[in-house]
Amino acid sequence: MNINIVEDENAGTVGSALIKVMSLFFIGIMIIAFTANPISVGTNEGQRAPDIEGKFYNGSGWTEFDFSSYFNTSWQEGDVSGQWVAIEFMDTDCPYCQQSADEYGQYANAFSVNNADWNGPHVNFLASATELSIQGHDSDRAEIEQFRSEYNHNFPYIDDIDQDNMEEWGIPGTPNYFLIQPDGIIAWSSSEHADEKISDAILRLVPRESV
Amino acid sequence: MSSNVLVAVYLIPTLVGFLIVSPLGNSVTSSLADRFPSLKTARGRLLSGLQLISLAGFAVSTQTLWISSKISEGGSFCSSTSTFSCDDLLGNSKLNVDPVFGLSWGLIGMATFALLLFIVFVLKQEPNHPLSERFINIGVLTTGIGLLVIGLLVSYEIQEEKICLYCTTAHIANIAAFVGFFRLRRLHEKRDEWNKS
């Protein structure tokens, strides 16, 4: 029986170089794996909410919005002291947003520390106002201010007329709601629970002090 | 230690490597040649410089991937209101991954510099390896494609009006490696020079 043995005197060079480089690569990956616990950024439940940028109106003027200031990354699940965030992506000219505006304002008052009947943590309500690319949906800051005042809302409205935040969040249409944990993780989104209102989601998910 | 000072740990070896692979390499390393005999030849200098650049590039790429991971946890590393704020770029979920496969730029950097290191290790051990010419061409091609990627990433920095010093160090390492591999290819074409020991 003939056995053909292929000899490659250079194989050892490539092999040893490959072992060195692969060792280095895996050491790098292992350092990252042991020292970091990454959470993907996105708009699905369990993902970290993307940033929201732009100016916001709180009743007195337009100032720079700092979304990260709402979150505390050291918050632990079940902790009743952390403040939650409810955000609505809306268009002042969208009929569905107009229909739900009264209700959204009532929720903002109900799930607040100023409401003695609410025994849970404060829920910060926000609205990101865009201008949908539909005829007759032209908008501007004056219209946003007027909308906020018309429905007696006392929470911030963020200017997203350029649709930047809407694109970043991948919002298909308005209104669209999200409930975000105090650590910035999305707990609930209306697109994943079409049959559940945000108020029901708050009652279901937000921890409350036992009576 | 400030995060912008820490970047010097990666930047200094990258710049030293860049000097060694540049045409100034001979005069810069002449005083060290007795201590490090490999620096006596042009091939030895280029490979030593490339090794330093690739190691620094690999390390800084690992650091950028780590920063991206820490930011996604909710932490911050080099957040700043000034122009030099790498968190704004490394923490941007749309910009910190490649637009085709969605792979983190840090991971791509690690893989790229690991490939360059592999080529350098092979050429250091066996300069006349049958695949040496192909390896050098792969090095030139990889770092050449890297130049296009740098153009894209710099456009992100301009768009965001922020500069990520860690990313910039990795970019410098790629440019330095391109110069090194380009000069290595020219040297490889001159067989007498290449085989000097």
Side-chain angles (χ1 to χ4, degrees):
Chain A
M1 188 172 67
N2 292 329
I3 301 171
N4 292 324
I5 299 172
V6 179
E7 285 187 22
D8 181 359
E9 58 188 24
N10 296 301
T13 312
V14 173
S16 72
L18 203 59
I19 288 169
K20 278 183 202 169
V21 169
M22 283 180 75
S23 305
L24 198 66
F25 190 84
F26 284 112
I27 288 168
I29 291 291
M30 282 165 75
I31 289 171
I32 294 168
F34 285 120
T35 58
N37 181 24
I39 300 166
S40 64
V41 176
T43 54
N44 293 328
E45 290 171 10
Q47 290 186 304
R48 183 168 301 286
D51 196 14
I52 290 196
E53 292 177 329
K55 302 271 186 190
F56 78 101
Y57 180 72
N58 60 2
S60 56
W62 291 91
T63 44
E64 200 62 44
F65 183 69
D66 182 7
F67 194 45
S68 62
S69 68
Y70 285 88
F71 304 114
N72 169 18
T73 51
S74 59
W75 177 82
Q76 296 290 315
E77 212 164 320
D79 181 357
V80 293
S81 63
Q83 297 194 0
W84 290 57
V85 170
I87 184 161
E88 177 193 24
F89 285 85
M90 50 82 69
D91 177 348
T92 49
D93 295 310
C94 135
Y96 296 109
C97 306
Q98 291 163 355
Q99 281 170 25
S100 60
D102 271 330
E103 211 173 38
Y104 195 62
Q106 286 164 17
Y107 298 155
N109 294 328
F111 301 113
S112 161
V113 282
N114 298 324
N115 177 14
D117 295 334
W118 171 240
N119 63 344
H122 184 71
V123 181
N124 293 293
F125 278 70
L126 302 170
S128 179
T130 192
E131 175 189 283
L132 293 176
S133 309
I134 303 171
Q135 201 172 12
H137 279 246
D138 294 345
S139 189
D140 55 26
R141 285 186 178 176
E143 192 174 296
I144 296 169
E145 287 175 25
Q146 193 190 338
F147 186 92
R148 184 180 181 276
S149 150
E150 195 177 318
Y151 290 97
N152 288 318
H153 288 169
N154 55 5
F155 47 83
Y157 268 69
I158 302 137
D159 172 358
D160 189 32
I161 292 170
D162 59 7
Q163 296 189 359
D164 271 3
N165 294 326
M166 201 172 148
E167 275 177 27
E168 169 91 16
W169 282 63
I171 305 295
T174 58
N176 212 299
Y177 304 92
F178 293 88
L179 179 63
I180 306 168
Q181 292 176 181
D183 57 357
I185 305 295
I186 293 176
W188 177 91
S189 83
S190 59
S191 52
E192 289 183 55
H193 298 274
D195 298 331
E196 189 178 29
K197 286 186 173 181
I198 192 165
S199 56
D200 296 328
I202 292 171
L203 291 170
R204 181 168 63 86
L205 296 166
V206 174
R208 278 169 283 166
E209 285 167 5
S210 50
V211 182
Chain B
M1 194 192 301
S2 158
S3 58
N4 286 339
V5 174
L6 183 66
V7 80
V9 173
Y10 307 109
L11 188 59
I12 290 168
T14 304
L15 293 177
V16 171
F18 203 171
L19 261 180
I20 295 172
V21 299
S22 74
L24 297 170
N26 190 18
S27 52
V28 170
T29 58
S30 58
S31 59
L32 296 168
D34 287 336
R35 198 178 172 85
F36 301 102
S38 65
L39 296 175
K40 282 181 180 166
T41 64
R43 189 191 72 219
R45 275 193 301 277
L46 286 174
L47 288 173
S48 299
L50 279 169
Q51 188 172 350
L52 198 58
I53 292 163
S54 305
L55 267 173
F58 178 83
V60 79
S61 300
T62 308
Q63 176 88 61
T64 60
L65 182 59
W66 182 84
I67 296 169
S68 292
S69 303
K70 289 307 274 187
I71 296 169
S72 83
E73 269 183 58
S76 65
F77 184 76
C78 43
S79 182
S80 162
T81 51
S82 73
T83 308
F84 299 103
S85 172
C86 64
D87 279 13
D88 287 300
L89 295 156
L90 294 175
N92 188 318
S93 59
K94 282 174 93 176
L95 305 183
N96 67 8
V97 292
D98 81 86
V100 182
F101 301 107
L103 290 171
S104 165
W105 286 120
L107 187 65
I108 292 171
M110 282 175 74
T112 303
F113 286 109
L115 173 68
L116 301 184
L117 259 181
F118 164 75
I119 294 170
V120 170
F121 284 150
V122 170
L123 294 176
K124 271 200 135 181
Q125 267 186 279
E126 187 51 63
N128 290 312
H129 190 281
L131 294 175
S132 60
E133 188 180 353
R134 187 172 292 179
F135 281 147
I136 293 169
N137 285 335
I138 290 171
V140 174
L141 184 70
T142 306
T143 51
I145 293 169
L147 297 180
L148 301 176
V149 173
I150 290 169
L152 175 71
L153 297 180
V154 169
S155 77
Y156 290 162
E157 291 186 320
I158 294 168
Q159 174 194 317
E160 296 292 308
E161 295 174 356
K162 295 282 180 190
I163 293 172
C164 162
L165 288 176
Y166 290 85
C167 316
T168 304
T169 305
H171 300 169
I172 293 170
N174 184 88
I175 294 165
F178 178 73
V179 171
F181 274 105
F182 187 77
R183 295 195 69 217
L184 202 64
R185 184 163 74 176
R186 286 179 58 185
L187 187 74
H188 190 262
E189 285 163 3
K190 300 171 193 163
R191 299 304 295 176
D192 292 345
E193 283 286 311
W194 178 262
N195 285 320
K196 264 187 189 170
S197 57

